[in-house]
Amino acid sequence: METQVQAASRSVTSRSIESDLDSYLDAIADATAIFREAVDAYLNSESEGACWRHAGKLSDHLRLLDDLQQKFETRIHPQSALGNLVCGMIDPLNGVSRLLKDMKRQITGFAIESGFSSPHRYVPANLVADVQELTDEVCTAVDVLVESYRPSLLWWEQPSPGKAERGVSWYENQADRLSMQILRKIFADDSLDLEVKLPLAQLVEEIDRVADQAEGIDQGLRARCRVSLTTVDGVETH
């Protein structure tokens, strides 16, 4: 039978692990903010140096995230309810790392393009607001993913699809809708040469892909949480 001292120790450890996970999720949210800033810098033709600064900031965040993930992974006990829950999140969180690395690749591409100042790599003024709106929806999808899996929420049943109207999938659908609208505008614009249209279309599709990745991670996390929640407090749910 568990003693009061053991129960208190387990409670302190659980809170500490939850705090580590919160810090990890905070860092992901910071990374999406950097991505937003980098896209704005690119769209507004800011200097090469500004683009490289954003790439550097995201690189620093990726290193921080690696350290934070290793920290809470080494502290969990797989046999415990919390450990079982967090262990089930490891693969999806690795997916988040891949998502952020894709963001970093895009930001680094902005910096390289700014350095070369290619005449075929620019966003026409009439599309800037559209691409910014797309980026906002994409980053919101990632932000909602982060907020949905705060430790304080993981202990409760995830809302049914009908209640989660503004979940990750909702924002991913919004991003898909916006990206299709932008692509139609690009290819319908006779004032743009094909050499300009193709890089523009690639930019839109790459930004939109971040939301696709967030939705895939969200689905993976939900599936694992449904399994892990059945063991929380030793209660089997049906």
Side-chain angles (χ1 to χ4, degrees):
M1 180 178 295
E2 184 178 54
T3 67
Q4 289 184 336
V5 173
Q6 290 172 325
S9 176
R10 176 170 56 81
S11 177
V12 169
T13 301
S14 296
R15 287 196 299 272
S16 179
I17 293 172
E18 288 180 22
S19 177
D20 290 344
L21 183 54
D22 266 328
S23 296
Y24 181 85
L25 297 173
D26 286 341
I28 296 172
D30 290 341
T32 60
I34 294 171
F35 184 73
R36 273 191 175 100
E37 295 169 0
V39 173
D40 283 344
Y42 179 75
L43 293 175
N44 292 296
S45 301
E46 292 187 19
S47 67
E48 176 187 359
C51 292
W52 279 116
R53 281 194 295 275
H54 287 113
K57 284 173 66 176
L58 191 52
S59 292
D60 291 341
H61 261 80
L62 289 178
R63 285 191 289 271
L64 172 64
L65 283 163
D66 285 342
D67 291 343
L68 289 171
Q69 184 169 342
Q70 289 177 14
K71 182 178 179 181
F72 72 73
E73 281 182 19
T74 57
R75 299 180 63 185
I76 59 176
H77 300 287
Q79 294 80 12
S80 68
L82 176 62
N84 185 50
L85 186 61
V86 176
C87 281
M89 296 174 63
I90 297 304
D91 284 345
L93 289 177
N94 286 336
V96 172
S97 295
R98 290 191 293 272
L99 181 154
L100 295 177
K101 287 174 183 176
D102 193 35
M103 284 182 168
K104 177 190 171 187
R105 179 189 59 76
Q106 292 187 44
I107 293 175
T108 302
F110 298 159
I112 293 171
E113 289 161 20
S114 297
F116 282 111
S117 299
S118 170
H120 302 310
R121 299 292 291 196
Y122 76 95
V123 179
N126 66 309
L127 291 177
V128 168
D130 292 333
V131 178
Q132 286 175 324
E133 185 181 3
L134 170 63
T135 303
D136 285 342
E137 294 294 342
V138 165
C139 289
T140 301
V142 180
D143 291 340
V144 169
L145 172 68
V146 170
E147 292 307 314
S148 296
Y149 293 96
R150 291 289 177 182
S152 58
L153 299 179
L154 279 169
W155 304 109
W156 306 101
E157 292 288 348
Q158 294 297 313
S160 64
K163 296 179 181 179
E165 296 177 358
R166 294 298 176 92
V168 178
S169 292
W170 190 90
Y171 287 101
E172 190 277 333
N173 288 334
Q174 290 294 100
D176 279 348
R177 178 182 60 79
L178 288 169
S179 65
M180 289 304 298
Q181 289 179 357
I182 298 171
L183 290 172
R184 282 196 291 268
K185 282 186 180 181
I186 291 170
F187 288 107
D189 191 341
D190 293 333
S191 69
L192 297 176
D193 294 333
L194 185 61
E195 291 83 359
V196 174
K197 290 181 178 182
L198 292 179
L200 273 176
Q202 181 183 17
L203 171 68
V204 170
E205 289 172 346
E206 288 196 347
I207 292 174
D208 182 42
R209 188 172 64 241
V210 173
D212 294 337
Q213 293 180 67
E215 183 182 39
I217 294 165
D218 180 61
Q219 291 172 346
L221 272 169
R222 286 180 182 276
R224 286 164 174 79
C225 282
R226 281 194 293 271
V227 172
S228 298
L229 281 167
T230 63
T231 63
V232 173
D233 294 330
V235 177
E236 186 75 15
T237 60
H238 299 281

